[in-house]
Amino acid sequence: MRLTMVGCSGSMPGPHSAASCYLLEADGFRLVVDLGNGAVGPLQRYTALNRVNAVALSHLHADHCLDMCPLWVARIYASEGALPPIPVYGPAGTAERIARANDDPGVTSAFDFVTLTSGQHRIGPFAVTTGHVAHPVETFAFRFEYGGHVLTYSGDTGESPVLVELARSADVLLCEAGFPDLPDLPPNLHLCGRQAGEHAARAGAGRLILTHLAPDNDPARSLAAAAGAFGGAVSLAAPGQVIDLG
């Protein structure tokens, strides 16, 4: 199972990174996890768009789903002709959200939309467990399992016991840290570095990678705060970073 960081900027693209997007691969299957604004461009460094097999969207904020629109263009107007639809797993209303953003109700010609619910799923070779986390819109965290290894992705969330359970004994917790480490942070929105570290510690994760890093926050402070709360390896996500899990 190979994870490639395509975009890891929080809430909007930054000067050095697209918004949230991750490429997960195993057995030749390519799953794009979130496809935020600005991500389709750098995604093509790591895979041809006609080789994407499926997309999973944690939620429907623009910084996690808006580049479904250029992906639609790439699939409908491919040089070899319109490509067969691929499955897109997302919250209720995903098809309508992408159709509005694209100003075209015909998005179902490129995508087969599958409404996610909390529980267990199979996406290509991956065993996937999803759960609702704490964000203003319906948002899922994901636990991906393949070949005896586990990757958990937080999506966007405030403090969440569901995230802790999904990350239980995970090899890697890819966790958002969209807030700076300040007192009196609003609940049910984002985590700071310290809170991400606390979630990793409670879950017994092997490694913590901070992502969804806002362009105007100091990532070094987030990293230090996370390391102070979690005794395992801690690092910052960076575009192009590749993690091989077995």
Short mmCIF file of all heavy atoms in Angstrom, two decimals, residues 119-167:
data_model
loop_
_atom_site.label_atom_id
_atom_site.label_comp_id
_atom_site.label_asym_id
_atom_site.label_seq_id
_atom_site.Cartn_x
_atom_site.Cartn_y
_atom_site.Cartn_z
N GLY A 119 -19.40 2.58 8.55
CA GLY A 119 -19.32 1.13 8.55
C GLY A 119 -18.23 0.62 7.64
O GLY A 119 -17.29 1.34 7.30
N GLN A 120 -18.36 -0.63 7.21
CA GLN A 120 -17.32 -1.30 6.45
C GLN A 120 -17.68 -1.34 4.96
O GLN A 120 -18.84 -1.53 4.59
CB GLN A 120 -17.11 -2.72 6.99
CG GLN A 120 -16.60 -2.72 8.43
CD GLN A 120 -16.33 -4.11 8.95
OE1 GLN A 120 -16.89 -5.09 8.48
NE2 GLN A 120 -15.45 -4.21 9.94
N HIS A 121 -16.65 -1.16 4.14
CA HIS A 121 -16.82 -1.10 2.69
C HIS A 121 -15.63 -1.79 2.04
O HIS A 121 -14.60 -2.03 2.67
CB HIS A 121 -16.89 0.36 2.20
CG HIS A 121 -17.80 1.23 3.00
ND1 HIS A 121 -19.13 1.39 2.69
CD2 HIS A 121 -17.57 1.98 4.12
CE1 HIS A 121 -19.68 2.22 3.57
NE2 HIS A 121 -18.75 2.58 4.44
N ARG A 122 -15.77 -2.06 0.77
CA ARG A 122 -14.67 -2.56 -0.05
C ARG A 122 -14.52 -1.62 -1.24
O ARG A 122 -15.46 -1.42 -2.00
CB ARG A 122 -14.95 -3.99 -0.52
CG ARG A 122 -13.98 -4.54 -1.54
CD ARG A 122 -12.58 -4.77 -1.01
NE ARG A 122 -12.50 -5.75 0.07
CZ ARG A 122 -11.37 -6.23 0.56
NH1 ARG A 122 -10.20 -5.81 0.06
NH2 ARG A 122 -11.37 -7.08 1.56
N ILE A 123 -13.32 -1.04 -1.38
CA ILE A 123 -13.01 -0.19 -2.52
C ILE A 123 -11.78 -0.77 -3.18
O ILE A 123 -10.67 -0.69 -2.63
CB ILE A 123 -12.78 1.28 -2.12
CG1 ILE A 123 -14.00 1.86 -1.40
CG2 ILE A 123 -12.44 2.12 -3.35
CD1 ILE A 123 -13.82 3.30 -0.92
N GLY A 124 -11.95 -1.40 -4.32
CA GLY A 124 -10.84 -2.09 -4.96
C GLY A 124 -10.24 -3.09 -4.01
O GLY A 124 -10.96 -3.89 -3.39
N PRO A 125 -8.92 -3.07 -3.80
CA PRO A 125 -8.29 -4.05 -2.91
C PRO A 125 -8.35 -3.66 -1.44
O PRO A 125 -7.89 -4.43 -0.59
CB PRO A 125 -6.84 -4.07 -3.40
CG PRO A 125 -6.61 -2.68 -3.89
CD PRO A 125 -7.91 -2.24 -4.50
N PHE A 126 -8.89 -2.48 -1.14
CA PHE A 126 -8.84 -1.96 0.21
C PHE A 126 -10.09 -2.32 1.01
O PHE A 126 -11.22 -2.13 0.54
CB PHE A 126 -8.70 -0.43 0.19
CG PHE A 126 -7.52 0.07 -0.57
CD1 PHE A 126 -7.68 0.70 -1.80
CD2 PHE A 126 -6.23 -0.11 -0.08
CE1 PHE A 126 -6.59 1.15 -2.52
CE2 PHE A 126 -5.13 0.34 -0.80
CZ PHE A 126 -5.31 0.96 -2.03
N ALA A 127 -9.88 -2.80 2.23
CA ALA A 127 -10.97 -2.88 3.21
C ALA A 127 -11.04 -1.53 3.89
O ALA A 127 -10.04 -1.04 4.44
CB ALA A 127 -10.70 -3.98 4.22
N VAL A 128 -12.19 -0.90 3.84
CA VAL A 128 -12.34 0.49 4.29
C VAL A 128 -13.41 0.55 5.37
O VAL A 128 -14.52 0.02 5.20
CB VAL A 128 -12.73 1.41 3.12
CG1 VAL A 128 -12.80 2.86 3.58
CG2 VAL A 128 -11.76 1.27 1.96
N THR A 129 -13.07 1.18 6.47
CA THR A 129 -14.04 1.47 7.53
C THR A 129 -14.18 2.98 7.63
O THR A 129 -13.19 3.70 7.69
CB THR A 129 -13.59 0.89 8.88
OG1 THR A 129 -13.31 -0.50 8.72
CG2 THR A 129 -14.70 1.06 9.92
N THR A 130 -15.42 3.44 7.64
CA THR A 130 -15.69 4.88 7.70
C THR A 130 -16.47 5.21 8.97
O THR A 130 -17.19 4.37 9.52
CB THR A 130 -16.51 5.34 6.48
OG1 THR A 130 -17.70 4.56 6.40
CG2 THR A 130 -15.72 5.16 5.21
N GLY A 131 -16.33 6.44 9.42
CA GLY A 131 -17.09 6.92 10.57
C GLY A 131 -17.25 8.42 10.50
O GLY A 131 -16.40 9.13 9.94
N HIS A 132 -18.36 8.91 11.05
CA HIS A 132 -18.60 10.35 11.07
C HIS A 132 -17.71 11.03 12.10
O HIS A 132 -17.60 10.57 13.24
CB HIS A 132 -20.07 10.63 11.42
CG HIS A 132 -21.01 10.36 10.29
ND1 HIS A 132 -21.92 9.32 10.32
CD2 HIS A 132 -21.19 10.98 9.09
CE1 HIS A 132 -22.62 9.32 9.20
NE2 HIS A 132 -22.19 10.30 8.43
N VAL A 133 -17.09 12.12 11.69
CA VAL A 133 -16.27 12.91 12.60
C VAL A 133 -16.88 14.31 12.75
O VAL A 133 -17.94 14.62 12.19
CB VAL A 133 -14.81 12.96 12.12
CG1 VAL A 133 -14.14 11.60 12.34
CG2 VAL A 133 -14.70 13.37 10.66
N ALA A 134 -16.22 15.17 13.54
CA ALA A 134 -16.83 16.39 14.06
C ALA A 134 -16.48 17.59 13.19
O ALA A 134 -15.43 18.23 13.36
CB ALA A 134 -16.38 16.63 15.50
N HIS A 135 -17.35 17.91 12.24
CA HIS A 135 -17.17 19.02 11.31
C HIS A 135 -18.56 19.57 10.99
O HIS A 135 -19.55 18.85 11.16
CB HIS A 135 -16.44 18.51 10.05
CG HIS A 135 -15.73 19.56 9.28
ND1 HIS A 135 -14.81 20.42 9.84
CD2 HIS A 135 -15.79 19.90 7.96
CE1 HIS A 135 -14.33 21.23 8.91
NE2 HIS A 135 -14.92 20.93 7.76
N PRO A 136 -18.68 20.81 10.54
CA PRO A 136 -20.02 21.39 10.37
C PRO A 136 -20.89 20.72 9.31
O PRO A 136 -22.12 20.88 9.34
CB PRO A 136 -19.72 22.85 9.97
CG PRO A 136 -18.39 23.13 10.58
CD PRO A 136 -17.63 21.84 10.46
N VAL A 137 -20.29 20.01 8.35
CA VAL A 137 -21.06 19.26 7.37
C VAL A 137 -20.75 17.78 7.56
O VAL A 137 -19.79 17.41 8.24
CB VAL A 137 -20.73 19.69 5.93
CG1 VAL A 137 -21.07 21.17 5.72
CG2 VAL A 137 -19.26 19.44 5.60
N GLU A 138 -21.56 16.92 6.97
CA GLU A 138 -21.31 15.48 7.09
C GLU A 138 -19.90 15.17 6.57
O GLU A 138 -19.57 15.47 5.43
CB GLU A 138 -22.34 14.68 6.29
CG GLU A 138 -22.16 13.17 6.48
CD GLU A 138 -23.15 12.34 5.70
OE1 GLU A 138 -23.61 12.80 4.63
OE2 GLU A 138 -23.46 11.21 6.15
N THR A 139 -19.11 14.57 7.44
CA THR A 139 -17.70 14.32 7.12
C THR A 139 -17.30 12.95 7.64
O THR A 139 -17.67 12.55 8.75
CB THR A 139 -16.80 15.40 7.77
OG1 THR A 139 -17.22 16.68 7.32
CG2 THR A 139 -15.34 15.18 7.40
N PHE A 140 -16.55 12.24 6.82
CA PHE A 140 -16.08 10.91 7.17
C PHE A 140 -14.57 10.89 7.37
O PHE A 140 -13.82 11.55 6.64
CB PHE A 140 -16.43 9.92 6.06
CG PHE A 140 -17.89 9.64 5.93
CD1 PHE A 140 -18.67 10.36 5.03
CD2 PHE A 140 -18.51 8.67 6.71
CE1 PHE A 140 -20.02 10.11 4.91
CE2 PHE A 140 -19.87 8.41 6.59
CZ PHE A 140 -20.63 9.14 5.69
N ALA A 141 -14.13 10.13 8.36
CA ALA A 141 -12.75 9.68 8.44
C ALA A 141 -12.71 8.27 7.86
O ALA A 141 -13.72 7.55 7.85
CB ALA A 141 -12.25 9.70 9.87
N PHE A 142 -11.53 7.87 7.39
CA PHE A 142 -11.36 6.58 6.71
C PHE A 142 -10.26 5.76 7.37
O PHE A 142 -9.19 6.30 7.70
CB PHE A 142 -10.96 6.78 5.25
CG PHE A 142 -11.97 7.48 4.39
CD1 PHE A 142 -11.94 8.86 4.25
CD2 PHE A 142 -12.93 6.77 3.69
CE1 PHE A 142 -12.84 9.52 3.45
CE2 PHE A 142 -13.85 7.42 2.87
CZ PHE A 142 -13.80 8.80 2.75
N ARG A 143 -10.51 4.48 7.49
CA ARG A 143 -9.49 3.51 7.88
C ARG A 143 -9.31 2.56 6.69
O ARG A 143 -10.25 1.84 6.32
CB ARG A 143 -9.92 2.73 9.13
CG ARG A 143 -8.91 1.66 9.60
CD ARG A 143 -9.46 0.90 10.79
NE ARG A 143 -8.59 -0.20 11.21
CZ ARG A 143 -7.68 -0.10 12.18
NH1 ARG A 143 -7.55 1.04 12.85
NH2 ARG A 143 -6.93 -1.14 12.51
N PHE A 144 -8.13 2.59 6.08
CA PHE A 144 -7.83 1.75 4.93
C PHE A 144 -6.92 0.61 5.37
O PHE A 144 -5.88 0.84 6.01
CB PHE A 144 -7.11 2.57 3.85
CG PHE A 144 -7.90 3.72 3.31
CD1 PHE A 144 -7.63 5.02 3.75
CD2 PHE A 144 -8.90 3.53 2.37
CE1 PHE A 144 -8.35 6.09 3.26
CE2 PHE A 144 -9.62 4.60 1.87
CZ PHE A 144 -9.36 5.89 2.32
N GLU A 145 -7.29 -0.61 5.01
CA GLU A 145 -6.50 -1.78 5.38
C GLU A 145 -6.17 -2.58 4.13
O GLU A 145 -7.02 -2.82 3.26
CB GLU A 145 -7.26 -2.66 6.37
CG GLU A 145 -7.62 -1.94 7.67
CD GLU A 145 -8.33 -2.84 8.66
OE1 GLU A 145 -7.78 -3.91 9.00
OE2 GLU A 145 -9.43 -2.47 9.11
N TYR A 146 -4.90 -2.98 4.06
CA TYR A 146 -4.46 -3.81 2.93
C TYR A 146 -3.17 -4.51 3.35
O TYR A 146 -2.24 -3.87 3.88
CB TYR A 146 -4.20 -2.96 1.68
CG TYR A 146 -3.59 -3.76 0.55
CD1 TYR A 146 -4.37 -4.56 -0.28
CD2 TYR A 146 -2.21 -3.76 0.35
CE1 TYR A 146 -3.80 -5.31 -1.29
CE2 TYR A 146 -1.63 -4.51 -0.66
CZ TYR A 146 -2.43 -5.29 -1.48
OH TYR A 146 -1.87 -6.06 -2.47
N GLY A 147 -3.09 -5.80 3.08
CA GLY A 147 -1.86 -6.56 3.32
C GLY A 147 -1.37 -6.51 4.75
O GLY A 147 -0.16 -6.55 4.99
N GLY A 148 -2.27 -6.41 5.70
CA GLY A 148 -1.89 -6.38 7.10
C GLY A 148 -1.45 -5.01 7.60
O GLY A 148 -0.99 -4.89 8.75
N HIS A 149 -1.59 -3.97 6.78
CA HIS A 149 -1.20 -2.62 7.17
C HIS A 149 -2.43 -1.71 7.19
O HIS A 149 -3.42 -1.96 6.48
CB HIS A 149 -0.14 -2.07 6.22
CG HIS A 149 1.15 -2.83 6.28
ND1 HIS A 149 2.08 -2.63 7.27
CD2 HIS A 149 1.63 -3.82 5.48
CE1 HIS A 149 3.10 -3.44 7.08
NE2 HIS A 149 2.86 -4.19 6.00
N VAL A 150 -2.33 -0.65 7.99
CA VAL A 150 -3.48 0.23 8.21
C VAL A 150 -3.05 1.69 8.08
O VAL A 150 -2.07 2.12 8.70
CB VAL A 150 -4.10 0.02 9.61
CG1 VAL A 150 -5.26 0.99 9.85
CG2 VAL A 150 -4.57 -1.43 9.78
N LEU A 151 -3.81 2.43 7.27
CA LEU A 151 -3.69 3.87 7.17
C LEU A 151 -5.02 4.47 7.57
O LEU A 151 -6.07 4.08 7.05
CB LEU A 151 -3.35 4.29 5.73
CG LEU A 151 -3.56 5.76 5.39
CD1 LEU A 151 -2.52 6.63 6.08
CD2 LEU A 151 -3.55 5.98 3.87
N THR A 152 -5.00 5.43 8.49
CA THR A 152 -6.21 6.16 8.85
C THR A 152 -6.06 7.61 8.43
O THR A 152 -5.02 8.23 8.66
CB THR A 152 -6.48 6.08 10.36
OG1 THR A 152 -6.69 4.71 10.72
CG2 THR A 152 -7.71 6.89 10.75
N TYR A 153 -7.11 8.13 7.81
CA TYR A 153 -7.14 9.52 7.37
C TYR A 153 -8.30 10.22 8.08
O TYR A 153 -9.43 9.75 8.05
CB TYR A 153 -7.32 9.60 5.86
CG TYR A 153 -7.64 10.97 5.32
CD1 TYR A 153 -6.86 12.08 5.66
CD2 TYR A 153 -8.72 11.17 4.47
CE1 TYR A 153 -7.17 13.34 5.15
CE2 TYR A 153 -9.02 12.42 3.96
CZ TYR A 153 -8.25 13.51 4.31
OH TYR A 153 -8.55 14.76 3.82
N SER A 154 -7.99 11.36 8.70
CA SER A 154 -8.97 12.02 9.57
C SER A 154 -10.07 12.76 8.84
O SER A 154 -11.12 13.03 9.43
CB SER A 154 -8.24 13.03 10.47
OG SER A 154 -7.71 14.10 9.68
N GLY A 155 -9.88 13.10 7.53
CA GLY A 155 -10.76 14.11 6.97
C GLY A 155 -10.58 15.40 7.76
O GLY A 155 -9.52 15.65 8.34
N ASP A 156 -11.62 16.23 7.79
CA ASP A 156 -11.61 17.43 8.62
C ASP A 156 -12.43 17.15 9.87
O ASP A 156 -13.56 16.66 9.78
CB ASP A 156 -12.24 18.61 7.87
CG ASP A 156 -11.27 19.29 6.92
OD1 ASP A 156 -10.17 18.75 6.72
OD2 ASP A 156 -11.64 20.34 6.37
N THR A 157 -11.89 17.50 11.03
CA THR A 157 -12.60 17.18 12.26
C THR A 157 -12.07 17.99 13.43
O THR A 157 -10.89 18.37 13.46
CB THR A 157 -12.47 15.68 12.59
OG1 THR A 157 -13.26 15.36 13.74
CG2 THR A 157 -11.02 15.27 12.86
N GLY A 158 -12.96 18.25 14.39
CA GLY A 158 -12.53 18.64 15.72
C GLY A 158 -12.25 17.38 16.52
O GLY A 158 -12.11 16.28 15.98
N GLU A 159 -12.16 17.53 17.84
CA GLU A 159 -11.88 16.37 18.68
C GLU A 159 -12.96 15.31 18.48
O GLU A 159 -14.15 15.62 18.48
CB GLU A 159 -11.78 16.80 20.13
CG GLU A 159 -10.56 17.69 20.40
CD GLU A 159 -10.37 17.99 21.86
OE1 GLU A 159 -11.19 18.76 22.39
OE2 GLU A 159 -9.42 17.46 22.46
N SER A 160 -12.53 14.06 18.32
CA SER A 160 -13.47 13.02 17.90
C SER A 160 -13.06 11.65 18.43
O SER A 160 -12.03 11.11 18.02
CB SER A 160 -13.54 12.96 16.36
OG SER A 160 -14.24 11.82 15.93
N PRO A 161 -13.89 11.04 19.29
CA PRO A 161 -13.60 9.67 19.70
C PRO A 161 -13.71 8.68 18.55
O PRO A 161 -13.06 7.62 18.57
CB PRO A 161 -14.65 9.39 20.80
CG PRO A 161 -15.73 10.40 20.57
CD PRO A 161 -15.06 11.60 19.99
N VAL A 162 -14.52 8.99 17.55
CA VAL A 162 -14.63 8.12 16.39
C VAL A 162 -13.29 8.03 15.67
O VAL A 162 -12.86 6.95 15.25
CB VAL A 162 -15.74 8.62 15.44
CG1 VAL A 162 -15.73 7.84 14.11
CG2 VAL A 162 -17.10 8.51 16.10
N LEU A 163 -12.61 9.16 15.54
CA LEU A 163 -11.30 9.14 14.89
C LEU A 163 -10.32 8.27 15.67
O LEU A 163 -9.54 7.51 15.08
CB LEU A 163 -10.76 10.56 14.75
CG LEU A 163 -9.34 10.69 14.18
CD1 LEU A 163 -9.24 10.06 12.80
CD2 LEU A 163 -8.90 12.14 14.15
N VAL A 164 -10.35 8.36 16.98
CA VAL A 164 -9.46 7.54 17.80
C VAL A 164 -9.70 6.06 17.51
O VAL A 164 -8.75 5.28 17.34
CB VAL A 164 -9.64 7.85 19.29
CG1 VAL A 164 -8.86 6.86 20.15
CG2 VAL A 164 -9.21 9.27 19.60
N GLU A 165 -10.95 5.65 17.44
CA GLU A 165 -11.25 4.24 17.18
C GLU A 165 -10.81 3.83 15.79
O GLU A 165 -10.28 2.73 15.59
CB GLU A 165 -12.74 3.96 17.40
CG GLU A 165 -13.15 3.96 18.86
CD GLU A 165 -12.28 3.02 19.69
OE1 GLU A 165 -12.12 1.84 19.30
OE2 GLU A 165 -11.74 3.46 20.72
N LEU A 166 -11.04 4.67 14.80
CA LEU A 166 -10.64 4.33 13.44
C LEU A 166 -9.12 4.24 13.30
O LEU A 166 -8.61 3.54 12.43
CB LEU A 166 -11.20 5.35 12.45
CG LEU A 166 -12.71 5.30 12.20
CD1 LEU A 166 -13.14 6.45 11.30
CD2 LEU A 166 -13.13 3.97 11.58
N ALA A 167 -8.41 4.97 14.16
CA ALA A 167 -6.94 4.97 14.11
C ALA A 167 -6.32 3.96 15.05
O ALA A 167 -5.09 3.92 15.18
CB ALA A 167 -6.42 6.36 14.43
#
